[in-house]
Amino acid sequence: MLSVGDAEAIILNLVQPLDDQRDIEVVDLLAAASRILAVPVTSPLDFPHWDNSAMDGYAVRYEDVQDSSAEQPAILEIVEEIPAGYQPKSTIQPGQAARIFTGAVMPAGADTVVMQEKTRQEENRVFILDTPKPQEFVRHKASFYQAGTQLLPAGIKLNAPEIAVLAAAQCQQLSVYRRPRVAIFSTGDELVSVDKLLQPGQIVDSNQYAIAALVKESGAEPLILGIVKDDPVALEKVITHAVVIADIVLSSGGVSVGDYDYVDKILESLRAKIHIRAVQIKPGKPLTVATLPSPDAINRVCTHSPLYFGLPGNPGAVLVTFWRFVLPAIKKLSGITEAWEPVFLKVRSHDELRSDGKNETYLWGKLHLIDGIYEFHKAGGSHSSGNLINLAQTNALAVLPMGKTLISPQEEVQVLQLFNG
């Protein structure tokens, strides 16, 4: 049985990021939010576009004001007022100044801005009451970015700051990687959809909905294939279809050692290479990871050979194994060049945390900021992999390494951060 670290390494080594030209699509700027940039961006514009003022005040020649003080102020003639968006008409001569506002273009001849709080104006004269620093409050052309150099690299996620930069650079369209396609189905004779009346022994298939939500949150496209009964023929048909349409296939259930667990056998019959059959993790030990032969390129929708994850059937185990193994794989596949690894934090535990020490154990709960220090609060109730209820409103998983049976209150614990909130 593999350790969690070994399993993670195997999975991430199997994932090849999107890099084919067929994986790139052009979208409008507003549609690019949360997408992965596929081609580096340059701009023909300098930032700032011109020398401009970083403050409301007066544009002056430094040599005219270098000895100013409240007792002996420099007195300058105001020859122009320059609001933002206005092209200056004057060249500042010795003994002159221009009233200027934040963001406005610096007039020729001026090299420094004196903030208005250190001045006094009387009619068309300004009294400089303090000596500024040379070139103070002047933002120089191209000091932030020089035209023609790389503005943003490929392989980054386009969040609000990046979208703002691209808008300022007048990038109307962008080349981004397509969203990874993830096929999802659940297995089990006992499963029914949310719209069915429950009969004795039946349970609602919550896994499919949870996985679809997680896939969407990851930026990928979920392809819902429904519930498949514990029938080898039906399972083989769905798997065969899934590997044609998806980059990643996720099934839940059917990967343990019971009489009705057929997934591994079907994968072997399809000539799949099974890399992982079980991991020393709780919950989530029965985890199958396999690669399948690439289908006929003519019929294949995706450019990559599919990666198959057979997740456990219990809902707690499904979520934990997705967060720990599947999410990093989707992120790496998406073309992002960094920040696809799980994010672990060392925090203080509010509660006593226990494990049998036989596996790397994950307990769900919530991070709270207490006096500036993050503290992990374990969710109440049972931490059975079959208990879905107390997973709601959690945002972190506390990790107890193998061999660690107890973490006491106020002791440091490593947590896997799931998302903000």
Side-chain angles (χ1 to χ4, degrees):
M1 193 183 309
L2 292 169
S3 70
V4 172
D6 287 344
E8 177 188 52
I10 289 171
I11 291 166
L12 292 179
N13 283 334
L14 291 171
V15 176
Q16 296 301 317
L18 298 174
D19 60 1
D20 192 283
Q21 284 298 314
R22 291 171 294 171
D23 295 323
I24 297 175
E25 55 191 31
V26 177
V27 298
D28 292 337
L29 180 60
L30 284 176
S34 298
R35 302 297 294 273
I36 308 301
L37 188 62
V39 178
V41 175
T42 60
S43 173
L45 300 175
D46 289 315
F47 288 86
H49 308 320
W50 45 74
D51 290 355
N52 70 91
S53 175
M55 190 70 63
D56 290 351
Y58 295 86
V60 301
R61 293 165 11 109
Y62 177 73
E63 61 188 278
D64 288 341
V65 299
Q66 58 185 330
D67 297 318
S68 299
S69 67
E71 294 75 22
Q72 291 186 314
I75 303 173
L76 305 175
E77 178 191 5
I78 302 171
V79 296
E80 189 173 14
E81 181 170 292
I82 309 173
Y86 173 82
Q87 181 63 41
K89 302 295 191 298
S90 302
T91 296
I92 303 303
Q93 304 293 336
Q96 295 181 340
R99 180 76 168 105
I100 196 166
F101 296 89
T102 302
V105 178
M106 287 289 292
D111 57 18
T112 300
V113 173
V114 181
M115 63 189 301
Q116 64 184 24
E117 290 84 351
K118 295 182 178 180
T119 66
R120 183 179 79 251
Q121 182 177 343
E122 294 181 5
E123 298 180 346
N124 70 332
R125 297 186 303 167
V126 60
F127 293 71
I128 309 300
L129 306 177
D130 194 14
T131 300
K133 297 176 182 178
Q135 302 186 50
E136 190 169 26
F137 300 124
V138 176
R139 295 184 291 218
H140 292 284
K141 178 181 178 180
S143 60
F144 301 163
Y145 168 80
Q146 187 174 0
T149 61
Q150 182 172 280
L151 182 64
L152 292 176
I156 63 169
K157 187 176 181 181
L158 298 175
N159 293 316
E162 291 77 23
I163 294 295
V165 167
L166 292 165
Q170 296 185 312
C171 296
Q172 299 181 53
Q173 292 188 317
L174 299 163
S175 294
V176 297
Y177 288 114
R178 64 171 175 82
R179 298 184 189 276
R181 300 182 181 97
V182 181
I184 303 165
F185 65 91
S186 302
T187 69
D189 292 339
E190 75 280 14
L191 299 178
V192 295
S193 58
V194 295
D195 59 335
K196 301 297 183 182
L197 182 66
L198 284 177
Q199 301 298 323
Q202 293 182 329
I203 58 173
V204 175
D205 174 27
S206 62
N207 288 345
Q208 186 171 177
Y209 295 91
I211 295 171
L214 290 167
V215 167
K216 282 186 178 180
E217 289 171 6
S218 74
E221 178 187 355
L223 308 173
I224 309 300
L225 302 183
I227 299 169
V228 184
K229 297 298 182 181
D230 289 322
D231 173 66
V233 175
L235 278 169
E236 181 174 343
K237 182 178 179 180
V238 170
I239 292 173
T240 301
H241 173 61
V243 300
V244 173
I245 64 172
D247 302 287
I248 290 177
V249 181
L250 299 179
S251 65
S252 63
V255 293
S256 192
V257 293
D259 292 342
Y260 297 95
D261 295 320
Y262 299 119
V263 169
D264 283 12
K265 294 176 183 177
I266 292 171
L267 290 172
E268 289 172 344
S269 73
L270 294 174
R271 296 183 293 112
K273 182 175 181 179
I274 299 180
H275 303 271
I276 298 173
R277 295 181 185 270
V279 181
Q280 289 176 305
I281 185 172
K282 183 179 179 180
K285 183 172 71 172
L287 173 68
T288 293
V289 178
T291 47
L292 291 102
S294 183
D296 186 342
I298 296 175
N299 298 318
R300 177 90 172 121
V301 173
C302 302
T303 56
H304 283 59
S305 296
L307 182 61
Y308 190 99
F309 287 88
L311 305 180
N314 282 321
V318 165
L319 290 171
V320 169
T321 51
F322 185 97
W323 284 319
R324 188 63 185 85
F325 300 117
V326 181
L327 181 56
I330 292 176
K331 286 184 175 181
K332 184 177 180 182
L333 174 67
S334 71
I336 197 167
T337 53
E338 58 183 22
W340 37 261
E341 303 92 341
V343 177
F344 290 97
L345 305 174
K346 287 186 176 180
V347 305
R348 185 173 62 198
S349 179
H350 175 269
D351 305 295
E352 181 179 276
L353 307 177
R354 286 190 173 274
S355 162
D356 60 14
K358 297 178 181 178
N359 298 286
E360 187 167 302
T361 300
Y362 289 70
L363 301 173
W364 40 93
K366 194 164 187 176
L367 288 175
H368 292 273
L369 193 59
I370 309 295
D371 297 328
I373 298 174
Y374 274 112
E375 194 172 80
F376 176 79
H377 290 233
K378 185 180 72 169
S382 168
H383 279 248
S384 162
S385 62
N387 182 12
L388 180 63
I389 303 304
N390 65 347
L391 269 158
Q393 301 182 70
T394 58
N395 63 7
L397 299 172
V399 184
L400 278 70
M402 287 183 60
K404 184 77 170 179
T405 59
L406 173 66
I407 291 178
S408 301
Q410 304 308 304
E411 188 178 345
E412 189 177 75
V413 62
Q414 183 171 257
V415 301
L416 172 60
Q417 187 177 20
L418 305 180
F419 32 71
N420 295 324

